[in-house]
Amino acid sequence: MLSVFRRSYGERRNRIRETTMTASVPTTTPGQVSDFYDVYNSLLRKYWDDNFHFGYWLDADDGSSVSVATDRFTDIMISKLPVGPGARILDVGCGIGKPAIRLARATGASVLGISINQNQVDEANALAAAEGLADRVSFQVVNALDMPFDDGSFDAALAFESIVHMPRKAALSEIARVVRPGGHIALTDLIRVDAEESTSPAAFMTQSVVRLEDYRELCRDAGIEIDELLDVSAHTDRTYDAMQNGIERSSEEISGKFGPGMMETLKNVMTPFAMGNVIGCAIVAGRRKPVLR
C-alpha cells in the first residue's frame, strides 16, 4: 500500500516540477492546482501551519509565531467583511478550513468554503464537525471559475491568496456574480513590487503576478467597487524566511519521507516568496456594485 502511495505521489510531484520548471508564463489548470495540493497539503500543515496563507507581523520587532501571525492575518481579513448572524459567506479556496471556522466564530455567520481539491474539503468538513460548527460551516469541491450557485447567493466572499491560482479577471467576475449587490468582497493576492517589467516566476502554481494598481481595472471590469487597496508586503515579507526555516530544520525527515528530490522541488515551488524585493502581498476589499435596472 505504501509503495502505491509513493508511486502516485511521485507522479503528481513530477508533473508539478515539470510545470514550475518549464513555464515562462504560468497557465495553471484546476487539475494542476488540485495535484499540487495533493502533494503539499501535508507538508504545509506540518512545516508551516493549518492556515495556508501568509503570516502578518506588526513590525520588525514582532516575535509572533507563525500560528499567531497567520491567525492575525485571518482576523484582519475578517474585519473587511462587516457581516453578522444570518449572513452567508463564501470562502473561495478554503484550504483545510481554519480561516472559515475562525470567520464563522467571529461573526456568527454561516460559511461555505470551496476548493478544487477533494482532500482539503474532506479535512475541512472533519474539522468543522470536530469544532461543533458543522451546522454553520461546510465545504464543497467546486471550481471557482464556474460555480454552481445562483447570482447573489452570498452576502460576502473571502478569497485568501487563492486567486493566485486563477485567471484574475474571470475569477473576480465569478465571485462578484455570486455575491449580492452591495455585498462585501475581500481578498489577498501576490503582487509585483519591483520597478522592472519582467515575467513573474512560474512557481507555486501561480498565474502571472500583477501590480497593486492593476486591481483598479480588474475590479472595475468585474463589477466591484474598491473600498481599500493596500500593499501589506512590509508585514508579510517574513513569510518566506519562516517557511524556509521550518523546511530546512526538517530536511532529513522530508527527504526520507518524500524522496531525495523533494527539497529541490520545494525550493523551486517557493521561488516567488524568496523574491521579497519583487513579490509582495496586497489586500483588496470592496463591494459588488449595485445592479442598474
Side-chain angles (χ1 to χ4, degrees), residues 78-268:
I78 290 171
S79 74
K80 309 300 180 185
L81 299 174
V83 297
R88 190 170 184 233
I89 306 174
L90 178 67
D91 181 4
V92 180
C94 59
I96 62 167
K98 189 176 179 183
I101 288 170
R102 196 171 179 90
L103 173 59
R105 280 217 170 97
T107 63
S110 297
V111 183
L112 174 62
I114 63 170
S115 171
I116 199 67
N117 183 263
Q118 182 68 60
N119 290 329
Q120 288 188 348
V121 167
D122 291 344
E123 289 194 48
N125 278 316
L127 182 61
E131 294 289 331
L133 287 171
D135 59 327
R136 286 198 292 118
V137 184
S138 61
F139 303 89
Q140 297 178 13
V141 175
V142 171
N143 181 352
L145 297 174
D146 186 21
M147 291 186 272
F149 310 126
D150 292 336
D151 294 1
S153 294
F154 299 91
D155 298 295
L158 172 68
F160 223 142
E161 289 167 32
S162 57
I163 203 165
V164 302
H165 299 306
M166 297 176 272
R168 287 171 181 80
K169 185 174 182 179
L172 288 168
S173 295
E174 184 68 351
I175 291 169
R177 179 187 70 79
V178 300
V179 172
R180 64 171 175 79
H184 288 263
I185 297 169
L187 64 92
T188 63
D189 195 3
L190 303 184
I191 55 169
R192 294 199 67 88
V193 295
D194 63 322
E196 300 296 323
E197 292 295 335
S198 59
T199 301
S200 303
F204 214 70
M205 288 293 116
T206 58
Q207 300 287 321
S208 295
V209 182
V210 299
R211 298 186 182 278
L212 185 67
E213 56 267 27
D214 293 334
Y215 261 96
R216 299 190 185 281
E217 181 177 349
L218 285 166
C219 286
R220 184 184 66 240
D221 291 348
I224 300 170
E225 293 180 344
I226 294 175
D227 292 327
E228 289 185 286
L229 198 56
L230 305 173
D231 182 346
V232 295
S233 305
H235 297 284
T236 63
D237 63 1
R238 210 183 304 179
T239 294
Y240 171 78
D241 286 341
M243 187 177 290
Q244 184 69 13
N245 288 340
I247 290 171
E248 288 181 351
R249 284 195 303 269
S250 305
S251 59
E252 290 186 9
E253 179 183 356
I254 292 171
S255 296
K257 184 174 182 180
F258 299 104
M262 177 51 75
M263 291 301 294
E264 180 187 356
T265 302
L266 284 171
K267 181 180 178 181
N268 294 329

Side-chain angles (χ1 to χ4, degrees), residues 17-83:
R17 187 176 187 277
E18 289 169 3
T19 300
T20 61
M21 292 295 288
T22 61
S24 58
V25 178
T27 53
T28 57
T29 66
Q32 288 172 330
V33 174
S34 183
D35 280 349
F36 174 87
Y37 282 107
D38 276 343
V39 172
Y40 290 101
N41 281 332
S42 60
L43 284 167
L44 285 167
R45 293 194 72 179
K46 186 163 186 179
Y47 305 112
W48 179 243
D49 190 70
D50 284 354
N51 287 312
F52 290 1
H53 59 250
F54 279 19
Y56 188 104
W57 286 268
L58 299 175
D59 53 41
D61 297 324
D62 183 0
S64 297
S65 66
V66 167
S67 180
V68 170
T70 54
D71 278 344
R72 179 184 292 128
F73 207 178
T74 300
D75 292 340
I76 289 170
M77 296 308 295
I78 290 171
S79 74
K80 309 300 180 185
L81 299 174
V83 297

